[in-house]
PDB file of all heavy atoms in Angstrom:
ATOM      1  N   ASP A   1      17.426  23.928   0.161  1.00 97.00           N
ATOM      2  CA  ASP A   1      18.754  23.389  -0.151  1.00 97.00           C
ATOM      3  C   ASP A   1      18.835  22.932  -1.608  1.00 97.00           C
ATOM      4  O   ASP A   1      19.819  23.209  -2.300  1.00 97.00           O
ATOM      5  CB  ASP A   1      19.096  22.216   0.766  1.00 97.00           C
ATOM      6  CG  ASP A   1      19.368  22.640   2.207  1.00 97.00           C
ATOM      7  OD1 ASP A   1      19.524  23.856   2.455  1.00 97.00           O
ATOM      8  OD2 ASP A   1      19.393  21.748   3.078  1.00 97.00           O
ATOM      9  N   ASN A   2      17.813  22.239  -2.075  1.00 97.00           N
ATOM     10  CA  ASN A   2      17.840  21.740  -3.444  1.00 97.00           C
ATOM     11  C   ASN A   2      17.651  22.852  -4.469  1.00 97.00           C
ATOM     12  O   ASN A   2      18.183  22.763  -5.575  1.00 97.00           O
ATOM     13  CB  ASN A   2      16.819  20.618  -3.632  1.00 97.00           C
ATOM     14  CG  ASN A   2      17.376  19.318  -3.119  1.00 97.00           C
ATOM     15  OD1 ASN A   2      18.195  18.695  -3.772  1.00 97.00           O
ATOM     16  ND2 ASN A   2      16.961  18.939  -1.921  1.00 97.00           N
ATOM     17  N   TYR A   3      16.936  23.893  -4.110  1.00 96.00           N
ATOM     18  CA  TYR A   3      16.846  25.062  -4.985  1.00 96.00           C
ATOM     19  C   TYR A   3      18.242  25.669  -5.165  1.00 96.00           C
ATOM     20  O   TYR A   3      18.656  25.971  -6.284  1.00 96.00           O
ATOM     21  CB  TYR A   3      15.879  26.092  -4.415  1.00 96.00           C
ATOM     22  CG  TYR A   3      15.898  27.384  -5.177  1.00 96.00           C
ATOM     23  CD1 TYR A   3      15.240  27.487  -6.400  1.00 96.00           C
ATOM     24  CD2 TYR A   3      16.599  28.485  -4.703  1.00 96.00           C
ATOM     25  CE1 TYR A   3      15.282  28.669  -7.130  1.00 96.00           C
ATOM     26  CE2 TYR A   3      16.639  29.665  -5.417  1.00 96.00           C
ATOM     27  CZ  TYR A   3      15.980  29.751  -6.630  1.00 96.00           C
ATOM     28  OH  TYR A   3      16.042  30.913  -7.350  1.00 96.00           O
ATOM     29  N   LYS A   4      18.954  25.818  -4.069  1.00 94.00           N
ATOM     30  CA  LYS A   4      20.305  26.392  -4.125  1.00 94.00           C
ATOM     31  C   LYS A   4      21.263  25.507  -4.917  1.00 94.00           C
ATOM     32  O   LYS A   4      22.163  25.991  -5.586  1.00 94.00           O
ATOM     33  CB  LYS A   4      20.849  26.607  -2.713  1.00 94.00           C
ATOM     34  CG  LYS A   4      20.157  27.727  -1.969  1.00 94.00           C
ATOM     35  CD  LYS A   4      20.699  27.847  -0.560  1.00 94.00           C
ATOM     36  CE  LYS A   4      20.019  28.948   0.210  1.00 94.00           C
ATOM     37  NZ  LYS A   4      20.496  29.015   1.609  1.00 94.00           N
ATOM     38  N   LEU A   5      21.058  24.192  -4.830  1.00 95.00           N
ATOM     39  CA  LEU A   5      21.897  23.242  -5.558  1.00 95.00           C
ATOM     40  C   LEU A   5      21.444  23.050  -7.011  1.00 95.00           C
ATOM     41  O   LEU A   5      22.054  22.288  -7.747  1.00 95.00           O
ATOM     42  CB  LEU A   5      21.895  21.888  -4.840  1.00 95.00           C
ATOM     43  CG  LEU A   5      22.598  21.857  -3.487  1.00 95.00           C
ATOM     44  CD1 LEU A   5      22.303  20.547  -2.767  1.00 95.00           C
ATOM     45  CD2 LEU A   5      24.085  22.054  -3.667  1.00 95.00           C
ATOM     46  N   ARG A   6      20.351  23.702  -7.380  1.00 94.00           N
ATOM     47  CA  ARG A   6      19.768  23.615  -8.729  1.00 94.00           C
ATOM     48  C   ARG A   6      19.279  22.214  -9.078  1.00 94.00           C
ATOM     49  O   ARG A   6      19.380  21.767 -10.209  1.00 94.00           O
ATOM     50  CB  ARG A   6      20.750  24.135  -9.771  1.00 94.00           C
ATOM     51  CG  ARG A   6      21.055  25.591  -9.560  1.00 94.00           C
ATOM     52  CD  ARG A   6      21.941  26.139 -10.600  1.00 94.00           C
ATOM     53  NE  ARG A   6      22.139  27.567 -10.317  1.00 94.00           N
ATOM     54  CZ  ARG A   6      22.909  28.342 -11.001  1.00 94.00           C
ATOM     55  NH1 ARG A   6      23.574  27.868 -12.036  1.00 94.00           N
ATOM     56  NH2 ARG A   6      23.039  29.607 -10.694  1.00 94.00           N
ATOM     57  N   ASN A   7      18.760  21.530  -8.068  1.00 96.00           N
ATOM     58  CA  ASN A   7      18.058  20.258  -8.281  1.00 96.00           C
ATOM     59  C   ASN A   7      16.579  20.605  -8.377  1.00 96.00           C
ATOM     60  O   ASN A   7      15.971  20.954  -7.368  1.00 96.00           O
ATOM     61  CB  ASN A   7      18.286  19.299  -7.113  1.00 96.00           C
ATOM     62  CG  ASN A   7      19.720  18.885  -6.977  1.00 96.00           C
ATOM     63  OD1 ASN A   7      20.415  18.706  -7.966  1.00 96.00           O
ATOM     64  ND2 ASN A   7      20.190  18.739  -5.755  1.00 96.00           N
ATOM     65  N   TYR A   8      16.025  20.531  -9.548  1.00 95.00           N
ATOM     66  CA  TYR A   8      14.670  21.036  -9.750  1.00 95.00           C
ATOM     67  C   TYR A   8      13.586  19.958  -9.666  1.00 95.00           C
ATOM     68  O   TYR A   8      12.413  20.249  -9.861  1.00 95.00           O
ATOM     69  CB  TYR A   8      14.587  21.793 -11.071  1.00 95.00           C
ATOM     70  CG  TYR A   8      15.533  22.980 -11.075  1.00 95.00           C
ATOM     71  CD1 TYR A   8      16.544  23.097 -12.004  1.00 95.00           C
ATOM     72  CD2 TYR A   8      15.437  23.966 -10.091  1.00 95.00           C
ATOM     73  CE1 TYR A   8      17.411  24.176 -11.987  1.00 95.00           C
ATOM     74  CE2 TYR A   8      16.298  25.039 -10.051  1.00 95.00           C
ATOM     75  CZ  TYR A   8      17.282  25.143 -11.004  1.00 95.00           C
ATOM     76  OH  TYR A   8      18.148  26.209 -10.971  1.00 95.00           O
ATOM     77  N   LYS A   9      13.990  18.743  -9.359  1.00 97.00           N
ATOM     78  CA  LYS A   9      13.015  17.679  -9.107  1.00 97.00           C
ATOM     79  C   LYS A   9      13.552  16.827  -7.970  1.00 97.00           C
ATOM     80  O   LYS A   9      14.709  16.403  -8.000  1.00 97.00           O
ATOM     81  CB  LYS A   9      12.806  16.832 -10.362  1.00 97.00           C
ATOM     82  CG  LYS A   9      11.605  15.921 -10.279  1.00 97.00           C
ATOM     83  CD  LYS A   9      11.375  15.201 -11.581  1.00 97.00           C
ATOM     84  CE  LYS A   9      10.161  15.792 -12.238  1.00 97.00           C
ATOM     85  NZ  LYS A   9       9.716  15.000 -13.386  1.00 97.00           N
ATOM     86  N   VAL A  10      12.719  16.619  -6.943  1.00 98.00           N
ATOM     87  CA  VAL A  10      13.118  15.857  -5.764  1.00 98.00           C
ATOM     88  C   VAL A  10      11.987  14.936  -5.328  1.00 98.00           C
ATOM     89  O   VAL A  10      10.844  15.081  -5.780  1.00 98.00           O
ATOM     90  CB  VAL A  10      13.513  16.788  -4.592  1.00 98.00           C
ATOM     91  CG1 VAL A  10      14.730  17.629  -4.944  1.00 98.00           C
ATOM     92  CG2 VAL A  10      12.358  17.666  -4.172  1.00 98.00           C
ATOM     93  N   VAL A  11      12.313  14.006  -4.447  1.00 98.00           N
ATOM     94  CA  VAL A  11      11.340  13.053  -3.914  1.00 98.00           C
ATOM     95  C   VAL A  11      11.279  13.204  -2.403  1.00 98.00           C
ATOM     96  O   VAL A  11      12.315  13.277  -1.737  1.00 98.00           O
ATOM     97  CB  VAL A  11      11.734  11.603  -4.263  1.00 98.00           C
ATOM     98  CG1 VAL A  11      10.762  10.613  -3.654  1.00 98.00           C
ATOM     99  CG2 VAL A  11      11.816  11.398  -5.759  1.00 98.00           C
ATOM    100  N   ILE A  12      10.066  13.251  -1.888  1.00 98.00           N
ATOM    101  CA  ILE A  12       9.867  13.248  -0.437  1.00 98.00           C
ATOM    102  C   ILE A  12       9.145  11.953  -0.089  1.00 98.00           C
ATOM    103  O   ILE A  12       8.047  11.681  -0.597  1.00 98.00           O
ATOM    104  CB  ILE A  12       9.056  14.466   0.028  1.00 98.00           C
ATOM    105  CG1 ILE A  12       9.836  15.751  -0.308  1.00 98.00           C
ATOM    106  CG2 ILE A  12       8.764  14.372   1.518  1.00 98.00           C
ATOM    107  CD1 ILE A  12       9.088  17.020  -0.013  1.00 98.00           C
ATOM    108  N   ILE A  13       9.770  11.163   0.764  1.00 97.00           N
ATOM    109  CA  ILE A  13       9.205   9.879   1.185  1.00 97.00           C
ATOM    110  C   ILE A  13       8.531  10.094   2.534  1.00 97.00           C
ATOM    111  O   ILE A  13       9.201  10.341   3.540  1.00 97.00           O
ATOM    112  CB  ILE A  13      10.311   8.807   1.298  1.00 97.00           C
ATOM    113  CG1 ILE A  13      11.064   8.699  -0.021  1.00 97.00           C
ATOM    114  CG2 ILE A  13       9.722   7.465   1.722  1.00 97.00           C
ATOM    115  CD1 ILE A  13      12.388   7.971   0.084  1.00 97.00           C
ATOM    116  N   HIS A  14       7.214  10.046   2.539  1.00 97.00           N
ATOM    117  CA  HIS A  14       6.460  10.285   3.773  1.00 97.00           C
ATOM    118  C   HIS A  14       5.798   9.031   4.302  1.00 97.00           C
ATOM    119  O   HIS A  14       5.313   9.011   5.414  1.00 97.00           O
ATOM    120  CB  HIS A  14       5.404  11.379   3.561  1.00 97.00           C
ATOM    121  CG  HIS A  14       4.677  11.272   2.280  1.00 97.00           C
ATOM    122  ND1 HIS A  14       3.769  10.278   2.013  1.00 97.00           N
ATOM    123  CD2 HIS A  14       4.751  12.031   1.174  1.00 97.00           C
ATOM    124  CE1 HIS A  14       3.299  10.441   0.788  1.00 97.00           C
ATOM    125  NE2 HIS A  14       3.880  11.498   0.252  1.00 97.00           N
ATOM    126  N   GLY A  15       5.782   7.991   3.521  1.00 95.00           N
ATOM    127  CA  GLY A  15       5.136   6.748   3.918  1.00 95.00           C
ATOM    128  C   GLY A  15       3.621   6.826   3.761  1.00 95.00           C
ATOM    129  O   GLY A  15       3.073   7.851   3.359  1.00 95.00           O
ATOM    130  N   ILE A  16       2.958   5.744   4.064  1.00 95.00           N
ATOM    131  CA  ILE A  16       1.502   5.676   3.894  1.00 95.00           C
ATOM    132  C   ILE A  16       0.821   5.888   5.248  1.00 95.00           C
ATOM    133  O   ILE A  16       0.174   6.890   5.462  1.00 95.00           O
ATOM    134  CB  ILE A  16       1.086   4.342   3.258  1.00 95.00           C
ATOM    135  CG1 ILE A  16       1.746   4.220   1.873  1.00 95.00           C
ATOM    136  CG2 ILE A  16      -0.430   4.245   3.139  1.00 95.00           C
ATOM    137  CD1 ILE A  16       1.629   2.869   1.246  1.00 95.00           C
ATOM    138  N   GLY A  17       1.003   4.985   6.169  1.00 92.00           N
ATOM    139  CA  GLY A  17       0.480   5.113   7.535  1.00 92.00           C
ATOM    140  C   GLY A  17      -0.914   5.700   7.637  1.00 92.00           C
ATOM    141  O   GLY A  17      -1.812   5.363   6.872  1.00 92.00           O
ATOM    142  N   THR A  18      -1.087   6.628   8.569  1.00 95.00           N
ATOM    143  CA  THR A  18      -2.394   7.257   8.783  1.00 95.00           C
ATOM    144  C   THR A  18      -2.593   8.482   7.896  1.00 95.00           C
ATOM    145  O   THR A  18      -3.688   9.036   7.847  1.00 95.00           O
ATOM    146  CB  THR A  18      -2.559   7.693  10.249  1.00 95.00           C
ATOM    147  OG1 THR A  18      -1.526   8.629  10.560  1.00 95.00           O
ATOM    148  CG2 THR A  18      -2.480   6.502  11.190  1.00 95.00           C
ATOM    149  N   GLY A  19      -1.526   8.931   7.238  1.00 95.00           N
ATOM    150  CA  GLY A  19      -1.623  10.076   6.340  1.00 95.00           C
ATOM    151  C   GLY A  19      -1.339  11.417   6.983  1.00 95.00           C
ATOM    152  O   GLY A  19      -1.410  12.447   6.337  1.00 95.00           O
ATOM    153  N   ILE A  20      -1.000  11.425   8.263  1.00 97.00           N
ATOM    154  CA  ILE A  20      -0.756  12.685   8.969  1.00 97.00           C
ATOM    155  C   ILE A  20       0.478  13.391   8.415  1.00 97.00           C
ATOM    156  O   ILE A  20       0.444  14.592   8.144  1.00 97.00           O
ATOM    157  CB  ILE A  20      -0.616  12.438  10.484  1.00 97.00           C
ATOM    158  CG1 ILE A  20      -1.954  11.979  11.060  1.00 97.00           C
ATOM    159  CG2 ILE A  20      -0.116  13.677  11.196  1.00 97.00           C
ATOM    160  CD1 ILE A  20      -1.883  11.487  12.486  1.00 97.00           C
ATOM    161  N   VAL A  21       1.565  12.655   8.230  1.00 97.00           N
ATOM    162  CA  VAL A  21       2.798  13.259   7.705  1.00 97.00           C
ATOM    163  C   VAL A  21       2.587  13.694   6.259  1.00 97.00           C
ATOM    164  O   VAL A  21       3.012  14.773   5.859  1.00 97.00           O
ATOM    165  CB  VAL A  21       3.994  12.293   7.851  1.00 97.00           C
ATOM    166  CG1 VAL A  21       5.236  12.848   7.175  1.00 97.00           C
ATOM    167  CG2 VAL A  21       4.275  12.027   9.326  1.00 97.00           C
ATOM    168  N   ARG A  22       1.914  12.870   5.463  1.00 97.00           N
ATOM    169  CA  ARG A  22       1.655  13.240   4.058  1.00 97.00           C
ATOM    170  C   ARG A  22       0.851  14.536   3.978  1.00 97.00           C
ATOM    171  O   ARG A  22       1.187  15.429   3.192  1.00 97.00           O
ATOM    172  CB  ARG A  22       0.884  12.135   3.342  1.00 97.00           C
ATOM    173  CG  ARG A  22       0.647  12.456   1.864  1.00 97.00           C
ATOM    174  CD  ARG A  22      -0.359  11.520   1.300  1.00 97.00           C
ATOM    175  NE  ARG A  22      -1.372  11.524   2.324  1.00 97.00           N
ATOM    176  CZ  ARG A  22      -2.663  11.312   2.208  1.00 97.00           C
ATOM    177  NH1 ARG A  22      -3.151  11.025   1.173  1.00 97.00           N
ATOM    178  NH2 ARG A  22      -3.510  11.360   3.174  1.00 97.00           N
ATOM    179  N   LYS A  23      -0.151  14.684   4.812  1.00 98.00           N
ATOM    180  CA  LYS A  23      -0.946  15.913   4.811  1.00 98.00           C
ATOM    181  C   LYS A  23      -0.102  17.116   5.214  1.00 98.00           C
ATOM    182  O   LYS A  23      -0.221  18.185   4.619  1.00 98.00           O
ATOM    183  CB  LYS A  23      -2.147  15.769   5.748  1.00 98.00           C
ATOM    184  CG  LYS A  23      -3.212  14.839   5.226  1.00 98.00           C
ATOM    185  CD  LYS A  23      -4.329  14.645   6.234  1.00 98.00           C
ATOM    186  CE  LYS A  23      -5.283  13.560   5.781  1.00 98.00           C
ATOM    187  NZ  LYS A  23      -6.270  13.236   6.801  1.00 98.00           N
ATOM    188  N   ALA A  24       0.752  16.935   6.205  1.00 98.00           N
ATOM    189  CA  ALA A  24       1.642  18.022   6.633  1.00 98.00           C
ATOM    190  C   ALA A  24       2.613  18.396   5.521  1.00 98.00           C
ATOM    191  O   ALA A  24       2.862  19.580   5.268  1.00 98.00           O
ATOM    192  CB  ALA A  24       2.404  17.608   7.892  1.00 98.00           C
TER     193      ALA A  24
END
């Protein structure tokens, strides 16, 4: 979606927790 909108820098907030979501 952001590629199509020409947003070439984005942030993904995955949290810290156990790291499972960050690894995914």
Side-chain angles (χ1 to χ4, degrees):
D1 289 348
N2 279 283
Y3 172 78
K4 290 177 181 177
L5 292 169
R6 297 183 178 177
N7 296 324
Y8 299 120
K9 193 175 252 190
V10 297
V11 177
I12 298 175
I13 304 164
H14 42 70
I16 299 169
T18 60
I20 293 170
V21 174
R22 182 193 45 152
K23 289 176 188 173

